[in-house]
Amino acid sequence: MAYGTKGPGKTGYDVLDDFRQAFIVMRNEITKYARGKKLIIFAALTALILAVVTAALTIWGGDGLGDNSNNLSYLYIMIMSLLVLVAITLFASTALVSEFEERTALILFTKPIRRWSIFLGKFLASLIVTVGFVLIYYAVVIILCLIGPGYVDGAIFVSLELSVCYTFGCAGIGFLISSVMKKSSTSSILTFFTLALLLNMVLSVIMIAAHIEDPWFVLTYAANDILYVLDPMQTAHAARAAAVMIVWGVASALVSYFLFRKRDF
């Protein structure tokens, strides 16, 4: 299957052209998200969560939004891991497998575009869309902190950085699963199951059976620091957690690219 026309002696111009092609793939992928229902559904879900939490605090919370920025942020951010999980399931888990399922790869791979440009463009598209929602969500929380408590604690920005790192780690897992599946629906279910249940089951086994009290190397365990940095009663290791999430993302993305590069119909 032909998926590129450039030989081994690549020039700087060729490399720049590969990045240009990756940018085109990324732009087209984001456009596809915007024209589809997934983006609208997830945006509505995000807005609903913000509305419900805010309504619960202002109507039944007693003291409204309260006077403590970290406490208020905690109530909103405690759902962040689930939001990232849903976004990755919608946008990343089907990015690669859909090309094979819908047979669009038959056309795409015969054009003078390298597979790594396709992979990079799709990976960046899913990452940008998900991170975009994360940034908007945190921006709303920051605004609510300014309206309620009247100030913003710096810990929320550390939490934001960790959420972005977690998004990257989860995106790698989503692409890894998408690179080997044959059906988009199966890939979505398996991605959700892996991030929501399987990794947590492995985490429990490690903690109980192996008697490891601090399994810092597990992605979902590292994700706890997204909340822990907002809770003075908890001990957070933000730098370590960020490094773990990035390593998970890089490692799984590299493996998924290798599998995607070797895949055929």
Side-chain angles (χ1 to χ4, degrees), residues 8-54:
K10 293 179 65 62
T11 66
Y13 175 80
D14 293 328
V15 174
L16 291 177
D17 189 59
D18 286 347
F19 279 108
R20 181 188 63 82
Q21 291 175 337
F23 175 79
I24 293 173
V25 173
M26 178 191 73
R27 184 184 61 191
N28 291 340
E29 197 75 3
I30 293 176
T31 301
K32 184 174 70 175
Y33 292 149
R35 291 176 178 175
K37 296 180 179 179
K38 291 182 180 180
L39 197 64
I40 298 174
I41 292 174
F42 187 71
L45 175 64
T46 304
L48 179 62
I49 290 173
L50 286 168
V52 169
V53 175
T54 304

Side-chain angles (χ1 to χ4, degrees), residues 40-58 60 65 72-87 90 133 136-138 140-141 144:
I40 298 174
I41 292 174
F42 187 71
L45 175 64
T46 304
L48 179 62
I49 290 173
L50 286 168
V52 169
V53 175
T54 304
L57 289 173
T58 54
W60 300 293
L65 297 177
L72 179 62
S73 300
Y74 190 97
L75 294 173
Y76 284 95
I77 305 304
M78 63 189 303
I79 199 70
M80 180 51 60
S81 294
L82 180 59
L83 276 178
V84 170
L85 168 58
V86 174
L90 289 174
F133 275 106
I136 293 172
Y137 191 93
Y138 271 86
V140 173
V141 175
L144 290 172

